Each structure stands twice: as C-alpha cells, then as structure tokens.
C-alpha cells in the first residue's frame, strides 16, 4: 500500500520546529529528524565553538552551534533547505533572523557514522552554492583529521586535508585552531 509523503511549506516547517522537542532538517518540503551525537561529537563541537566564540566576541561575527539553522537553496533546484550544522559563523550584518542564518562564512560539521555520507556529498554540494560561505570544515571524531573545503575564487573550491601536526586556518575570520584545540579531552 502506498502512502503520500507529506510536503510542508517553509512557514509550516518553521512553526512546527519552534514547538518541537526534536530538531528536524528541511529539504524542499520534506522534514527529517536529527539524531543525537556521541560524547566525542559534542566535546569536539564545543571545543571548536567555544574557541571561535572567545576569539571573535566583541566583533562583527557571531558563532552558533547545533541549534541554529542555515537557510539555503538546493543546488540546481529551486527548493529551500534548512540544515543544522554543528558550528556556523556569520559576519554579515544582514543576518538578523532569530532562528536561522542566511549568510554563513564558516560551517563546521563533525562527522558521525549516521551523517558522514550526507555531510560529504549532499551538504557539500548544497553548501557550496552559498555565496557568503568561504570555508566548509569536516572534522573526524575517530582520528585527528580535518578536511577544509575553501572557496578561493567565486565558484572555485579547493580541498585541504589536515592531520595532527597541522593547524586549521580559517581565513574568513582570520584565526587558527590547533588540532589540540579541536580534539582536547578526546585523544
């Protein structure tokens, strides 16, 4: 027996999400529940967000983690998407909405077994359509490994793989994190 898949408008999604105890991502009318993260995932996310916040506070940039959505249009489609990245930074004064960011400059995803494929494929492709995004960072929680996708020219992205000896340099906000900063209390 076939059942119709419910399609929600952006307004319906935002209204329901504001009352929901669970977080849901929104992809062109369909909603998907988010799973909880491991202790390692949470510690790494907090390490990154707290260091970014302490270095950027008092300036034009805002740092958010886990509960702040990013709004964008799907790559090659006219469908609205809302993702919940692990860490997002915006330095754009036009980002005034209380529940989502439109102009991120940095997005960080800590890889989990349940999200890694989506983070590496779907989200990578869709995030790269955001004009303001300069760096998309994927952080492993199983080993000291960080991948940075960096937009060096409009529409031109490069990939850098970092390991234990390297520093994560975020050009968009002019700061860097050591691997020890990122993985404190993990390894």
């Amino acid at each position: 027996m076939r059942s119709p898949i419910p399609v929600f408008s952006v307004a319906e999604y935002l209204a329901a999400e504001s009352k929901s105890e669970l977080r849901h991502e929104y992809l062109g009318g369909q909603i998907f529940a988010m799973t909880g993260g491991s202790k390692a995932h949470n510690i790494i996310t907090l390490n990154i967000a707290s260091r970014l916040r302490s270095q950027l506070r008092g300036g034009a940039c805002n740092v958010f983690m886990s509960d702040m959505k990013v709004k964008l249009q799907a790559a090659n489609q006219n469908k609205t998407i809302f993702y919940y990245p692990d860490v997002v930074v915006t330095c754009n004064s036009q980002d005034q909405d209380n529940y989502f960011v439109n102009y991120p400059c940095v997005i960080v995803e800590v890889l989990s077994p349940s999200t890694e494929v989506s983070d590496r494929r779907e989200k990578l492709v869709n995030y790269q359509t955001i004009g303001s995004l300069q760096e998309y960072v994927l952080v492993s929680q199983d080993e000291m490994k960080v991948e940075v996708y960096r937009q060096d020219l409009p529409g031109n992205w490069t990939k850098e793989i970092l390991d234990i000896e390297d520093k994560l340099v975020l050009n968009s906000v002019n700061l860097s994190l050591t691997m020890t900063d990122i993985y404190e209390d993990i390894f």
Side-chain angles (χ1 to χ4, degrees), residues 2 14 22 30 33 54 60 72 79 82 89 97 124 138 147 163 167 169 178 184 186:
R2 293 184 182 182
L14 291 173
L22 297 175
Q30 296 181 29
S54 71
L72 61 133
K79 294 183 178 179
F82 288 94
V89 179
D97 194 280
L124 172 63
L138 298 175
E147 297 169 44
D163 60 28
K167 283 187 178 182
V169 177
T178 66
E184 183 179 354
I186 300 296

Side-chain angles (χ1 to χ4, degrees), residues 34-96:
M34 301 289 297
T35 60
S38 67
K39 285 182 182 179
H41 185 282
N42 280 281
I43 291 169
I44 293 167
T45 300
L46 184 58
N47 287 345
I48 294 168
S50 62
R51 282 178 176 74
L52 288 171
R53 173 71 179 135
S54 71
Q55 293 182 41
L56 295 173
R57 77 168 165 225
C61 299
N62 289 302
V63 179
F64 302 100
M65 55 183 282
S66 300
D67 287 333
M68 181 59 68
K69 295 179 280 298
V70 170
K71 180 181 179 185
L72 61 133
Q73 294 301 119
N76 301 319
Q77 300 176 27
N78 191 23
K79 294 183 178 179
T80 301
I81 293 176
F82 288 94
Y83 289 130
Y84 280 98
D86 293 314
V87 180
V88 60
V89 179
T90 180
C91 301
N92 192 310
S93 61
Q94 295 178 59
D95 257 327
Q96 295 297 315

Side-chain angles (χ1 to χ4, degrees), residues 1-171:
M1 175 176 250
R2 293 184 182 182
S3 300
I5 297 173
V7 176
F8 298 88
S9 70
V10 169
E12 289 170 328
Y13 163 72
L14 291 173
E17 196 68 0
S18 70
K19 298 173 188 145
S20 177
E21 292 182 19
L22 297 175
R23 295 179 304 143
H24 300 84
E25 291 187 327
Y26 177 90
L27 285 93
Q30 296 181 29
I31 62 171
F32 300 91
M34 301 289 297
T35 60
S38 67
K39 285 182 182 179
H41 185 282
N42 280 281
I43 291 169
I44 293 167
T45 300
L46 184 58
N47 287 345
I48 294 168
S50 62
R51 282 178 176 74
L52 288 171
R53 173 71 179 135
S54 71
Q55 293 182 41
L56 295 173
R57 77 168 165 225
C61 299
N62 289 302
V63 179
F64 302 100
M65 55 183 282
S66 300
D67 287 333
M68 181 59 68
K69 295 179 280 298
V70 170
K71 180 181 179 185
L72 61 133
Q73 294 301 119
N76 301 319
Q77 300 176 27
N78 191 23
K79 294 183 178 179
T80 301
I81 293 176
F82 288 94
Y83 289 130
Y84 280 98
D86 293 314
V87 180
V88 60
V89 179
T90 180
C91 301
N92 192 310
S93 61
Q94 295 178 59
D95 257 327
Q96 295 297 315
D97 194 280
N98 287 328
Y99 301 103
F100 56 87
V101 169
N102 289 293
Y103 307 101
C105 58
V106 177
I107 292 176
V108 179
E109 295 283 8
V110 178
L111 300 173
S112 298
S114 62
T115 65
E116 184 170 1
V117 171
S118 174
D119 291 340
R120 290 184 180 284
R121 293 181 184 171
E122 172 197 320
K123 288 184 180 182
L124 172 63
V125 169
N126 287 324
Y127 282 150
Q128 287 177 333
T129 67
I130 302 172
S132 62
L133 187 65
Q134 296 174 45
E135 288 142 336
Y136 177 48
V137 182
L138 298 175
V139 181
S140 173
Q141 62 176 309
D142 300 323
E143 61 180 320
M144 285 189 158
K145 181 180 174 186
V146 174
E147 297 169 44
V148 185
Y149 293 86
R150 192 172 276 116
Q151 184 170 208
D152 55 359
L153 298 169
N156 187 49
W157 290 80
T158 59
K159 178 182 175 183
E160 180 180 12
I161 298 175
L162 310 174
D163 60 28
I164 193 168
E165 300 297 321
D166 297 315
K167 283 187 178 182
L168 170 59
V169 177
L170 298 172
N171 298 326

